[in-house]
Amino acid sequence: MSFRPRKQFGQHWLKSEKALNEIVKAAKISKSDRILEIGPGTGNLTRYLLPLAESVVAVEIDRDLCQNLAKSLGKTENFLLLQGDILTLNLEAQLENFSKFQNPNKVVANIPYNITGPILEKLLGKIAQPATKPYDLIVLLVQKEVAERLYAQPSTKAFGALSVKVQYLADCELIYSVPAKDFYPPPKVDSAVVRLHPQIRYLAENPKFLDSLVKLGFAEKRKMLRNNLKSVVERDRLTEILEQLEINPQVRAEDLSVPQWVELSNRLAVSATVET
Ligand code: SAH
Protein backbone atom coordinates (compact mmCIF):
# COMPACT_ATOMS: atom_id res chain seq x y z
CA MET A 1 0.00 0.00 0.00
CA SER A 2 1.39 3.41 -0.83
CA PHE A 3 0.52 6.66 0.90
CA ARG A 4 0.00 9.93 -0.81
CA PRO A 5 2.09 12.42 1.16
CA ARG A 6 0.07 15.09 2.95
CA LYS A 7 1.23 18.63 2.54
CA GLN A 8 -0.24 19.94 5.78
CA PHE A 9 1.94 17.56 7.79
CA GLY A 10 5.09 18.41 5.84
CA GLN A 11 5.38 14.87 4.49
CA HIS A 12 8.39 14.24 2.28
CA TRP A 13 9.78 10.72 2.31
CA LEU A 14 13.53 10.52 2.31
CA LYS A 15 14.44 7.95 -0.30
CA SER A 16 18.23 8.33 -0.59
CA GLU A 17 20.06 5.47 1.10
CA LYS A 18 23.18 7.60 1.26
CA ALA A 19 21.36 10.37 3.14
CA LEU A 20 19.71 7.87 5.50
CA ASN A 21 23.10 6.35 6.24
CA GLU A 22 24.62 9.78 6.91
CA ILE A 23 21.88 10.54 9.45
CA VAL A 24 22.41 7.22 11.21
CA LYS A 25 26.20 7.60 11.21
CA ALA A 26 25.93 11.11 12.66
CA ALA A 27 23.91 9.77 15.60
CA LYS A 28 26.73 7.36 16.62
CA ILE A 29 24.17 4.87 17.85
CA SER A 30 25.15 2.17 20.29
CA LYS A 31 23.16 -0.73 21.74
CA SER A 32 22.41 1.20 24.90
CA ASP A 33 20.89 4.19 23.09
CA ARG A 34 17.21 4.90 23.43
CA ILE A 35 16.06 6.94 20.48
CA LEU A 36 13.19 9.34 20.03
CA GLU A 37 12.14 9.71 16.40
CA ILE A 38 9.76 12.49 15.37
CA GLY A 39 7.59 11.85 12.32
CA PRO A 40 8.57 8.33 11.25
CA GLY A 41 6.27 8.62 8.21
CA THR A 42 6.53 5.36 6.33
CA GLY A 43 9.39 4.17 8.54
CA ASN A 44 12.27 4.81 6.13
CA LEU A 45 14.59 6.05 8.82
CA THR A 46 13.07 3.94 11.59
CA ARG A 47 14.15 0.75 9.83
CA TYR A 48 17.77 1.91 9.96
CA LEU A 49 17.57 2.84 13.63
CA LEU A 50 15.89 -0.26 15.06
CA PRO A 51 18.70 -2.81 14.59
CA LEU A 52 21.28 -0.45 16.13
CA ALA A 53 19.57 0.95 19.22
CA GLU A 54 18.21 -0.46 22.42
CA SER A 55 14.83 1.03 21.60
CA VAL A 56 13.09 3.52 19.33
CA VAL A 57 9.99 5.45 20.32
CA ALA A 58 8.44 7.26 17.38
CA VAL A 59 5.81 9.99 17.53
CA GLU A 60 3.69 10.36 14.38
CA ILE A 61 0.72 12.69 14.00
CA ASP A 62 -0.89 11.02 10.98
CA ARG A 63 -3.38 8.31 11.96
CA ASP A 64 -3.27 6.50 8.61
CA LEU A 65 0.51 6.34 8.65
CA CYS A 66 0.38 5.05 12.20
CA GLN A 67 -1.91 2.21 11.19
CA ASN A 68 0.40 1.28 8.38
CA LEU A 69 3.49 1.46 10.58
CA ALA A 70 1.81 -0.58 13.27
CA LYS A 71 1.23 -3.29 10.67
CA SER A 72 4.75 -3.27 9.27
CA LEU A 73 6.83 -2.64 12.40
CA GLY A 74 4.38 -3.32 15.22
CA LYS A 75 5.88 -6.68 16.08
CA THR A 76 9.41 -5.36 16.46
CA GLU A 77 10.01 -5.63 20.18
CA ASN A 78 12.23 -2.57 20.55
CA PHE A 79 9.80 -0.30 18.69
CA LEU A 80 7.04 1.79 20.23
CA LEU A 81 4.77 3.98 18.15
CA LEU A 82 2.85 6.86 19.70
CA GLN A 83 0.21 8.62 17.69
CA GLY A 84 0.12 12.31 18.48
CA ASP A 85 1.56 15.77 18.01
CA ILE A 86 5.16 15.98 19.19
CA LEU A 87 4.58 19.57 20.30
CA THR A 88 1.78 18.80 22.72
CA LEU A 89 2.33 15.17 23.65
CA ASN A 90 3.52 14.48 27.19
CA LEU A 91 6.21 11.97 26.39
CA GLU A 92 7.10 11.13 29.95
CA ALA A 93 3.50 10.34 30.85
CA GLN A 94 3.01 8.30 27.67
CA LEU A 95 6.06 6.21 28.48
CA GLU A 96 5.08 5.52 32.05
CA ASN A 97 4.33 1.86 31.42
CA PHE A 98 7.07 1.24 28.87
CA SER A 99 10.28 1.06 30.86
CA LYS A 100 12.41 0.02 27.88
CA PHE A 101 11.58 3.29 26.11
CA GLN A 102 11.76 5.72 29.00
CA ASN A 103 14.19 8.64 29.02
CA PRO A 104 15.34 8.45 25.41
CA ASN A 105 18.87 9.87 25.25
CA LYS A 106 19.06 10.72 21.54
CA VAL A 107 16.75 12.24 18.99
CA VAL A 108 17.09 11.24 15.35
CA ALA A 109 14.56 12.59 12.89
CA ASN A 110 13.61 13.91 9.52
CA ILE A 111 11.22 16.50 10.91
CA PRO A 112 8.31 18.41 9.36
CA TYR A 113 9.93 21.69 8.31
CA ASN A 114 6.90 23.85 9.06
CA ILE A 115 7.37 23.31 12.81
CA THR A 116 11.17 23.32 13.04
CA GLY A 117 11.35 26.25 15.48
CA PRO A 118 8.83 24.80 17.95
CA ILE A 119 10.48 21.35 17.71
CA LEU A 120 13.89 22.85 18.52
CA GLU A 121 12.38 24.60 21.50
CA LYS A 122 10.65 21.42 22.63
CA LEU A 123 13.94 19.49 22.47
CA LEU A 124 16.36 22.10 23.80
CA GLY A 125 14.14 24.40 25.82
CA LYS A 126 14.86 28.11 25.59
CA ILE A 127 17.54 30.41 27.00
CA ALA A 128 15.27 31.40 29.88
CA GLN A 129 14.34 27.79 30.55
CA PRO A 130 16.73 25.17 29.19
CA ALA A 131 15.58 21.54 29.00
CA THR A 132 15.86 20.01 32.47
CA LYS A 133 17.06 16.65 31.15
CA PRO A 134 18.92 17.51 27.95
CA TYR A 135 19.43 14.85 25.28
CA ASP A 136 22.96 13.54 24.69
CA LEU A 137 22.66 14.17 20.97
CA ILE A 138 20.09 15.41 18.47
CA VAL A 139 20.44 14.66 14.77
CA LEU A 140 17.90 16.37 12.54
CA LEU A 141 17.25 16.76 8.88
CA VAL A 142 16.11 20.35 8.40
CA GLN A 143 15.66 22.91 5.68
CA LYS A 144 19.08 24.08 4.47
CA GLU A 145 18.46 27.76 5.28
CA VAL A 146 17.60 26.80 8.84
CA ALA A 147 20.64 24.52 9.10
CA GLU A 148 22.84 27.43 8.01
CA ARG A 149 21.42 29.59 10.78
CA LEU A 150 22.01 26.88 13.36
CA TYR A 151 25.74 26.53 12.77
CA ALA A 152 26.40 30.11 11.57
CA GLN A 153 29.38 32.07 12.85
CA PRO A 154 28.96 35.69 14.03
CA SER A 155 29.24 38.43 11.39
CA THR A 156 27.91 36.18 8.65
CA LYS A 157 24.61 36.67 6.88
CA ALA A 158 23.01 33.59 8.43
CA PHE A 159 23.81 34.53 12.03
CA GLY A 160 20.62 35.72 13.70
CA ALA A 161 18.51 35.45 16.83
CA LEU A 162 17.88 31.74 16.15
CA SER A 163 21.65 31.12 15.96
CA VAL A 164 22.22 32.75 19.34
CA LYS A 165 19.26 31.03 20.97
CA VAL A 166 20.20 27.57 19.75
CA GLN A 167 23.97 27.95 20.11
CA TYR A 168 23.48 29.09 23.71
CA LEU A 169 21.87 25.71 24.38
CA ALA A 170 23.84 23.40 22.12
CA ASP A 171 26.91 22.96 19.94
CA CYS A 172 25.74 22.75 16.32
CA GLU A 173 27.43 21.09 13.37
CA LEU A 174 26.60 20.66 9.73
CA ILE A 175 26.87 17.00 8.82
CA TYR A 176 25.64 16.52 5.29
CA SER A 177 23.71 18.37 2.58
CA VAL A 178 20.68 16.67 1.11
CA PRO A 179 19.33 17.88 -2.24
CA ALA A 180 15.56 18.19 -2.74
CA LYS A 181 15.59 15.34 -5.25
CA ASP A 182 16.46 12.86 -2.49
CA PHE A 183 12.85 13.10 -1.28
CA TYR A 184 9.49 12.05 -2.57
CA PRO A 185 7.87 14.41 -3.29
CA PRO A 186 10.84 16.80 -3.51
CA PRO A 187 10.36 19.81 -1.19
CA LYS A 188 10.83 23.30 -2.65
CA VAL A 189 14.05 23.72 -0.68
CA ASP A 190 17.27 21.80 -0.18
CA SER A 191 17.96 20.20 3.18
CA ALA A 192 20.82 19.42 5.51
CA VAL A 193 21.57 17.07 8.37
CA VAL A 194 22.64 18.89 11.52
CA ARG A 195 23.91 17.51 14.78
CA LEU A 196 23.19 19.32 18.04
CA HIS A 197 25.02 18.51 21.21
CA PRO A 198 23.06 20.10 24.06
CA GLN A 199 25.43 21.87 26.37
CA ILE A 200 25.50 25.31 27.98
CA ARG A 201 29.09 26.50 27.77
CA TYR A 202 28.50 30.02 29.01
CA LEU A 203 25.75 30.28 31.57
CA ALA A 204 24.07 33.66 31.83
CA GLU A 205 23.55 35.00 35.33
CA ASN A 206 20.08 36.09 34.35
CA PRO A 207 18.94 33.89 31.45
CA LYS A 208 15.55 35.54 31.23
CA PHE A 209 17.21 38.90 30.71
CA LEU A 210 19.54 37.46 28.06
CA ASP A 211 16.54 35.97 26.26
CA SER A 212 14.83 39.34 25.98
CA LEU A 213 18.09 41.12 25.22
CA VAL A 214 18.71 38.88 22.19
CA LYS A 215 15.17 39.38 20.97
CA LEU A 216 15.50 43.17 21.25
CA GLY A 217 19.00 43.24 19.82
CA PHE A 218 17.92 41.51 16.62
CA ALA A 219 14.57 43.32 16.35
CA GLU A 220 15.82 45.48 13.50
CA LYS A 221 18.71 43.70 11.92
CA ARG A 222 20.14 46.63 10.02
CA LYS A 223 20.34 48.92 13.02
CA MET A 224 23.29 49.15 15.34
CA LEU A 225 22.98 47.23 18.58
CA ARG A 226 22.95 50.41 20.65
CA ASN A 227 19.87 51.63 18.78
CA ASN A 228 18.02 48.36 19.16
CA LEU A 229 18.82 48.26 22.87
CA LYS A 230 18.05 51.85 23.70
CA SER A 231 14.95 50.91 25.72
CA VAL A 232 17.12 48.83 28.10
CA VAL A 233 20.33 50.80 28.35
CA GLU A 234 21.46 54.31 27.68
CA ARG A 235 23.64 54.73 24.65
CA ASP A 236 26.68 56.02 26.59
CA ARG A 237 26.46 53.29 29.17
CA LEU A 238 26.29 50.63 26.46
CA THR A 239 29.23 52.18 24.62
CA GLU A 240 31.22 52.04 27.85
CA ILE A 241 30.37 48.38 28.47
CA LEU A 242 31.12 47.40 24.88
CA GLU A 243 34.48 49.17 25.11
CA GLN A 244 35.27 47.31 28.32
CA LEU A 245 34.51 44.09 26.46
CA GLU A 246 36.72 45.25 23.60
CA ILE A 247 33.80 45.30 21.24
CA ASN A 248 33.39 48.07 18.69
CA PRO A 249 30.47 50.21 19.97
CA GLN A 250 29.07 50.38 16.44
CA VAL A 251 28.41 46.66 16.20
CA ARG A 252 25.21 45.11 15.02
CA ALA A 253 23.56 42.27 16.90
CA GLU A 254 24.86 39.73 14.40
CA ASP A 255 28.48 40.60 15.24
CA LEU A 256 28.34 39.34 18.82
CA SER A 257 29.26 35.74 19.54
CA VAL A 258 27.32 33.73 22.12
CA PRO A 259 29.90 34.29 24.91
CA GLN A 260 29.83 38.01 24.12
CA TRP A 261 26.04 38.06 24.39
CA VAL A 262 26.29 36.32 27.75
CA GLU A 263 28.94 38.74 28.97
CA LEU A 264 26.94 41.74 27.80
CA SER A 265 23.83 40.40 29.48
CA ASN A 266 25.69 39.79 32.74
CA ARG A 267 27.08 43.32 32.81
CA LEU A 268 23.79 44.95 31.85
CA ALA A 269 21.78 42.93 34.34
CA VAL A 270 24.19 44.01 37.07
CA SER A 271 24.18 47.65 36.06
CA ALA A 272 20.38 47.55 35.79
CA THR A 273 20.15 46.40 39.41
CA VAL A 274 22.73 48.94 40.54
CA GLU A 275 20.85 51.80 38.94
CA THR A 276 17.39 50.94 40.22
N1 SAH B 1 10.88 10.21 8.61
C1 SAH B 1 10.16 10.04 7.37
C2 SAH B 1 9.08 11.11 7.15
C3 SAH B 1 9.50 12.55 7.23
S1 SAH B 1 8.24 13.67 6.77
C4 SAH B 1 11.14 9.97 6.22
O1 SAH B 1 12.28 10.37 6.41
O2 SAH B 1 10.77 9.55 5.14
C5 SAH B 1 7.74 14.34 8.33
C6 SAH B 1 6.85 13.41 9.15
O3 SAH B 1 6.44 14.10 10.34
C7 SAH B 1 5.56 12.99 8.46
O4 SAH B 1 5.38 11.62 8.60
C8 SAH B 1 4.46 13.77 9.20
O5 SAH B 1 3.21 13.13 9.20
C9 SAH B 1 5.05 13.87 10.58
N2 SAH B 1 4.54 14.99 11.39
C10 SAH B 1 4.13 16.21 10.96
N3 SAH B 1 3.77 17.00 11.99
C11 SAH B 1 3.97 16.26 13.12
C12 SAH B 1 3.78 16.52 14.51
N4 SAH B 1 3.34 17.70 14.94
N5 SAH B 1 4.08 15.53 15.40
C13 SAH B 1 4.55 14.33 14.98
N6 SAH B 1 4.75 14.04 13.67
C14 SAH B 1 4.47 14.98 12.76
Side-chain angles (χ1 to χ4, degrees):
M1 190 166 25
S2 76
F3 279 87
R4 191 199 289 183
R6 290 187 169 138
K7 217 173 161 185
Q8 93 255 33
F9 290 144
Q11 295 176 351
H12 298 276
W13 315 140
L14 182 58
K15 49 179 200 166
S16 154
E17 266 180 42
K18 171 88 176 114
L20 286 160
N21 273 315
E22 288 292 334
I23 295 175
V24 172
K25 205 168 75 187
K28 301 183 215 162
I29 301 171
S30 73
K31 261 295 171 197
S32 60
D33 283 333
R34 296 177 174 196
I35 313 254
L36 165 65
E37 186 189 358
I38 301 162
T42 54
N44 292 359
L45 178 59
T46 323
R47 288 186 180 82
Y48 279 72
L49 302 173
L50 284 166
L52 301 172
E54 181 184 1
S55 62
V56 177
V57 52
V59 179
E60 171 58 60
I61 200 169
D62 187 320
R63 235 172 250 279
D64 295 338
L65 285 174
C66 281
Q67 277 185 4
N68 187 45
L69 268 177
K71 271 187 212 142
S72 58
L73 293 176
K75 292 210 171 70
T76 315
E77 48 88 39
N78 65 340
F79 179 58
L80 178 68
L81 179 62
L82 300 174
Q83 198 241 314
D85 179 344
I86 186 64
L87 299 179
T88 52
L89 180 114
N90 182 341
L91 192 63
E92 211 168 298
Q94 294 277 335
L95 294 177
E96 207 174 28
N97 298 318
F98 300 96
S99 56
K100 197 186 173 78
F101 300 88
Q102 281 163 4
N103 302 313
N105 64 317
K106 288 183 182 173
V107 181
V108 185
N110 167 15
I111 59 172
Y113 295 171
N114 53 332
I115 52 169
T116 303
I119 288 178
L120 286 170
E121 190 168 315
K122 175 98 187 180
L123 300 178
L124 296 169
K126 44 189 178 181
I127 294 179
Q129 209 176 0
T132 41
K133 285 188 247 163
Y135 292 99
D136 294 337
L137 212 58
I138 301 172
V139 177
L140 301 177
L141 185 54
V142 299
Q143 183 178 337
K144 197 172 169 199
E145 283 73 16
V146 175
E148 284 166 355
R149 286 156 68 191
L150 297 183
Y151 63 84
Q153 294 295 314
S155 302
T156 63
K157 213 173 117 207
F159 194 80
L162 182 72
S163 320
V164 178
K165 285 181 187 170
V166 172
Q167 291 175 17
Y168 177 82
L169 298 163
D171 294 343
C172 305
E173 293 166 86
L174 166 69
I175 299 292
Y176 182 72
S177 296
V178 183
K181 67 170 176 48
D182 282 1
F183 298 85
Y184 174 79
K188 288 202 183 75
V189 291
D190 286 329
S191 302
V193 181
V194 288
R195 178 164 59 200
L196 311 184
H197 178 205
Q199 170 168 39
I200 300 180
R201 288 183 183 275
Y202 309 93
L203 185 66
E205 283 160 24
N206 185 340
K208 223 170 157 175
F209 182 71
L210 173 60
D211 214 348
S212 45
L213 198 66
V214 171
K215 199 167 160 204
L216 268 180
F218 281 98
E220 289 187 61
K221 257 203 114 174
R222 284 164 48 220
K223 280 193 181 172
M224 277 187 259
L225 186 65
R226 61 187 186 202
N227 290 328
N228 278 336
L229 294 187
K230 64 176 182 243
S231 62
V232 209
V233 55
E234 273 179 24
R235 191 190 160 108
D236 291 350
R237 175 78 188 119
L238 182 61
T239 302
E240 193 182 299
I241 294 176
L242 290 172
E243 276 170 355
Q244 285 166 6
L245 297 176
E246 295 180 12
I247 298 169
N248 178 345
Q250 302 201 11
V251 283
R252 295 195 168 84
E254 74 226 42
D255 298 317
L256 295 192
S257 65
V258 171
Q260 286 177 325
W261 273 107
V262 172
E263 194 55 47
L264 178 65
S265 159
N266 288 350
R267 303 238 179 162
L268 283 176
V270 168
S271 72
T273 19
V274 170
E275 275 157 30
T276 50

